[in-house]
């Protein structure tokens, strides 16, 4: 054992040197010397065992932002319902209140380049619009047939956009158009076909119309669009 002790010391010296303290970090006691406080050496001791600092992601930020958007979206949808999809304008809410909610959502739009996003693909039910022709159909119906639904179908990959107004007794007004030149938040469209059905009678109509739409807000469940005519659409995925 006595022969092995020097060897053990030599093996432990490199490890010990890794935890060596600088001169004066810890007190040295000599015979007859006044006792020295160890307080000065404590910080140096703890400094040897400092854990590294990590920049951890703040997982709460995204959740709070998403929750904030959901609250605003629900307020907007409630306003749309109270306004009867735009028949009563902005309904009980003032124009400033209605526009304010929309602007808040636009400022928090979570989708980059929304017109190019695959999130655009799907069926979107109209919740509110300022387009007078659509509102006329929603309010008045079509020759005795009440309006039952208004929606758009979009396929970004296929480049198609369909506008449908449905009436009772399987009546409808359908306008199919292309969906092209998507860049950033804007796309262009041109009517390709149009058809009108009233009860048993279905007739084609000339597809006259083109323009652009701009997605000012888009997420998994809500779209807000402004177009070349100056109209605004609020639509929810169905």
């Amino acid at each position: 054992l006595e022969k092995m002790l020097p060897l053990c010391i030599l093996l432990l010296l490199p490890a010990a040197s890794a935890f060596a303290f600088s001169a004066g970090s810890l007190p040295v006691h000599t015979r007859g010397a006044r006792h020295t406080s160890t307080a000065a050496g404590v910080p140096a001791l703890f400094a040897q065992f400092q854990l590294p600092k990590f920049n951890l992601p703040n997982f709460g930020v995204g959740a709070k932002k998403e929750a904030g958007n959901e609250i605003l979206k629900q307020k907007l949808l409630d306003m749309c319902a109270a306004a009867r999809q735009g028949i009563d304008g902005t309904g009980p809410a003032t124009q400033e209140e209605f526009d304010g909610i929309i602007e808040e959502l636009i400022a928090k739009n979570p989708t980059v380049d929304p017109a190019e996003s695959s999130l655009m693909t799907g069926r979107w039910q109209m919740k509110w619009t300022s387009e007078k022709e659509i509102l006329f159909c929603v309010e008045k119906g079509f020759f005795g047939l009440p309006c039952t639904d208004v929606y758009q179908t979009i396929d970004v990959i296929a480049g198609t956009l369909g506008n449908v107004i449905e009436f009772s007794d399987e009546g409808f007004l359908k306008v199919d158009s292309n969906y092209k030149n998507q860049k950033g938040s804007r796309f262009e469209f041109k009517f390709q076909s149009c058809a009108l059905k009233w009860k048993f009678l279905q007739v084609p109509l000339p597809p006259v119309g083109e323009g652009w739409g701009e997605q000012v807000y888009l997420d998994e469940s809500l779209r807000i669009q402004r177009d070349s005519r100056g109209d605004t659409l609020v639509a929810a995925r169905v």
Side-chain angles (χ1 to χ4, degrees):
L1 181 60
E2 291 179 358
K3 292 181 179 180
M4 294 180 61
L5 184 59
L7 178 61
C8 291
I9 293 173
L10 288 174
L11 291 173
L12 289 173
L13 277 176
S17 65
F19 296 97
F21 305 112
S22 60
S25 295
L26 294 179
V28 177
H29 297 280
T30 58
R31 185 181 300 272
R34 185 179 178 182
H35 178 70
T36 306
S37 172
T38 61
V42 171
L45 178 62
F46 278 106
Q48 306 301 317
F49 299 96
Q50 287 289 327
L51 293 176
K53 295 182 180 180
F54 298 98
N55 293 321
L56 297 176
N58 190 342
F59 295 103
V61 173
K64 289 179 181 178
K65 183 178 180 180
E66 184 177 344
N69 280 15
E70 291 301 317
I71 292 172
L72 288 173
K73 285 161 58 177
Q74 191 57 55
K75 284 183 179 180
L76 178 60
L77 291 174
D78 289 344
M79 287 181 176
C80 293
R84 295 196 302 156
Q85 298 175 291
I87 294 173
D88 297 331
T90 58
T94 65
Q95 187 69 53
E96 289 75 16
E97 290 171 333
F98 190 87
D99 292 344
I101 294 292
I102 287 180
E103 291 302 323
E104 282 191 71
L105 282 169
I106 290 173
K108 298 179 179 181
N109 179 29
T111 306
V112 178
D113 299 331
E116 304 174 39
S117 172
S118 60
L119 287 176
M120 286 290 291
T121 297
R123 176 166 166 164
W124 297 90
Q125 185 179 59
M126 186 194 80
K127 294 300 182 181
W128 188 92
T129 186
S130 59
E131 189 170 336
K132 293 180 174 58
E133 293 84 355
I134 294 177
L135 291 174
F136 180 86
C137 293
V138 172
E139 182 178 18
K140 305 298 183 182
F142 179 58
F143 289 103
L145 303 182
C147 178
T148 57
D149 201 3
V150 181
Y151 59 90
Q152 288 182 324
T153 56
I154 299 174
D155 189 324
V156 173
I157 295 177
T160 59
L161 186 156
N163 294 276
V164 183
I165 304 176
E166 291 185 347
F167 305 97
S168 62
D169 290 340
E170 300 183 352
F172 61 74
L173 171 62
K174 293 182 179 179
V175 180
D176 291 325
S177 47
N178 55 23
Y179 182 95
K180 62 180 183 178
N181 298 333
Q182 308 97 301
K183 186 174 182 180
S185 61
R186 185 172 293 195
F187 67 92
E188 296 175 357
F189 65 88
K190 185 175 182 179
F191 296 165
Q192 303 294 305
S193 65
C194 183
L196 177 65
K197 183 182 179 184
W198 181 82
K199 294 187 177 180
F200 58 86
L201 180 64
Q202 180 172 334
V203 294
L205 298 173
V208 180
E210 62 182 302
W212 54 261
E214 184 172 8
Q215 304 308 305
V216 292
Y217 182 89
L218 174 68
D219 65 16
E220 293 83 356
S221 62
L222 188 75
R223 279 175 55 218
I224 303 176
Q225 176 178 298
R226 290 172 176 160
D227 62 32
S228 49
R229 296 181 54 184
D231 288 312
T232 299
L233 168 72
V234 178
R237 190 186 298 276
V238 291

